[in-house]
Amino acid sequence: MCKCTRIQHIRSALRRTYSSSRQLPRAVRGMPDRVGSAAYKYQQVTSTGHTVLARHGFTLIHTPILEYSSVYERTLGASSDIVGKELYKFLDSSQQWMTMRPEGTAGVARAVISNKLDERLPLKLFYSGPMFRHERPQKGRLRQFEQLGIEMFGVVHPAADVECIEVGWEFLSTLAIDGKLELNINTLGDAQSRSRYRDSLREYFSEHQRLLSEDSQRRLESNPLRILDSKNEGDMKIALGAPSYTEYLSPQSVEHYGFVRSGLDTLKIPYVENKRLVALKPPYWLAEDTTD
């Protein structure tokens, strides 16, 4: 049977199975097909990213779509939105909890340890592929989405931050993107600085607790930094009066941030300092920041 005949056979079988067009098989909500020009655009974006990252000495790594659930729950935090609401999680036949990967960092870190790559640091790795989150599909958000990311292990110098920003800027500048690119930067400093700033924010937002949204009230204890990123209009108005992070940075953090800005200036990469910019996904190794 030739391929054309097989397709016709499948089509006929589907029509017999589904009595009306409304019952025809369709893609899972939030997981669209990529056909025609969309498929070629995806290929162009991915190949451009691979080329730029390889040029900067990053090595490709592939991790499984399925991981043991503990890989994400221990690193992202049990109270995070991702773990609490968005994981595609199920028990397999051996009664092990499995999760379809919602992001790339935790799986790459697990792979580095599992394959003893941490014995030959430093490492510069990059990955790309589908991620899965069970959230409400809307513009700009899908339940299956592709992510291209980089990870650096064993490098603590601020030059690593500069390089990460440089490759991101080069990648986006290489793509044919409509409109002007704008790079926003910020720092929340080291663990000591973040702890002091978090305490200050908790005290400030506690004074306005009854006016905060339900999500922000929940985040008040787990991680008040996330309130700064709230898209709720009421939360945004309250956040305008929140303390500035600059008052809580340690001398080491000030020096680190200064090096990053100086490095971007040297590379002639334009940037805007945005004091309200918050990292949505803290580094996995910062245990005190792995809550929502």
Side-chain angles (χ1 to χ4, degrees):
M1 184 185 293
C2 71
K3 185 175 293 186
C4 180
T5 305
R6 286 202 302 268
I7 292 174
Q8 291 176 349
H9 178 74
I10 293 171
R11 184 184 296 120
S12 298
L14 287 174
R15 285 176 174 169
R16 288 195 301 270
T17 303
Y18 298 95
S19 58
S20 72
S21 59
R22 291 184 179 181
Q23 295 179 321
L24 288 176
R26 54 190 174 84
V28 176
R29 189 175 181 222
M31 298 183 181
D33 299 313
R34 187 180 288 112
V35 298
S37 62
Y40 286 104
K41 287 178 181 178
Y42 170 72
Q43 185 62 38
Q44 180 189 10
V45 170
T46 302
S47 61
T48 299
H50 285 217
T51 300
V52 170
L53 290 167
R55 186 160 58 236
H56 283 267
F58 285 81
T59 301
L60 178 64
I61 183 171
H62 289 292
T63 60
I65 287 176
L66 273 182
E67 296 271 8
Y68 291 113
S69 296
S70 58
V71 169
Y72 300 109
E73 292 172 352
R74 292 177 181 176
T75 57
L76 297 175
S79 64
S80 68
D81 276 351
I82 297 176
V83 171
K85 303 177 183 178
E86 300 172 3
L87 292 185
Y88 276 97
K89 178 179 175 181
F90 60 92
L91 274 174
D92 69 2
S93 58
S94 59
Q95 298 303 298
Q96 294 274 6
W97 281 107
M98 309 296 293
T99 293
M100 297 176 71
R101 64 184 180 199
E103 55 89 41
T105 299
V108 171
R110 193 273 311 149
V112 167
I113 296 170
S114 298
N115 294 280
K116 298 182 179 180
L117 300 180
D118 52 332
E119 296 178 359
R120 51 178 189 267
L121 299 177
L123 292 171
K124 295 168 60 176
L125 306 173
F126 78 95
Y127 61 87
S128 65
M131 311 289 166
F132 304 86
R133 295 191 187 182
H134 193 279
E135 59 182 347
R136 180 184 176 188
Q138 53 187 294
K139 185 177 181 180
R141 292 195 176 194
L142 295 171
R143 289 176 173 175
Q144 177 178 325
F145 58 96
E146 278 66 30
Q147 192 174 79
L148 173 70
I150 62 176
E151 307 291 346
M152 298 181 72
F153 297 88
V155 184
V156 296
H157 196 277
D161 291 343
V162 176
E163 183 173 14
C164 288
I165 296 173
E166 179 188 10
V167 295
W169 182 259
E170 182 178 335
F171 165 56
L172 293 174
S173 299
T174 303
L175 297 173
I177 298 177
D178 292 335
K180 180 182 177 182
L181 288 175
E182 182 178 275
L183 170 64
N184 283 232
I185 65 171
N186 187 18
T187 181
L188 295 176
D190 53 22
Q192 177 187 5
S193 302
R194 282 189 298 277
S195 179
R196 293 173 57 205
Y197 186 42
R198 217 172 15 243
D199 291 342
S200 175
L201 287 178
R202 187 173 288 116
E203 180 180 352
Y204 170 77
F205 285 121
S206 292
E207 298 174 358
H208 306 275
Q209 183 170 357
R210 66 182 184 85
L211 300 176
L212 294 174
S213 67
E214 183 178 340
D215 277 345
S216 289
Q217 289 187 36
R218 177 172 55 84
R219 290 166 175 163
L220 187 57
E221 289 304 318
S222 61
N223 190 355
L225 289 170
R226 287 297 308 274
I227 301 177
L228 297 176
D229 185 61
S230 173
K231 301 302 184 291
N232 179 278
E233 290 187 6
D235 293 344
M236 293 169 68
K237 290 179 181 178
I238 295 172
L240 290 175
S244 171
Y245 74 96
T246 54
E247 304 170 29
Y248 301 91
L249 291 180
S250 66
Q252 295 82 0
S253 296
V254 172
E255 182 179 359
H256 185 113
Y257 189 40
F259 185 100
V260 172
R261 296 199 309 272
S262 177
L264 295 178
D265 291 337
T266 300
L267 293 170
K268 293 182 170 46
I269 297 177
Y271 60 86
V272 175
E273 292 190 74
N274 182 350
K275 296 181 179 180
R276 298 300 175 193
L277 185 65
V278 180
L280 299 186
K281 187 186 71 175
Y284 74 94
W285 59 87
L286 297 176
E288 76 278 12
D289 279 350
T290 52
T291 53
D292 177 33

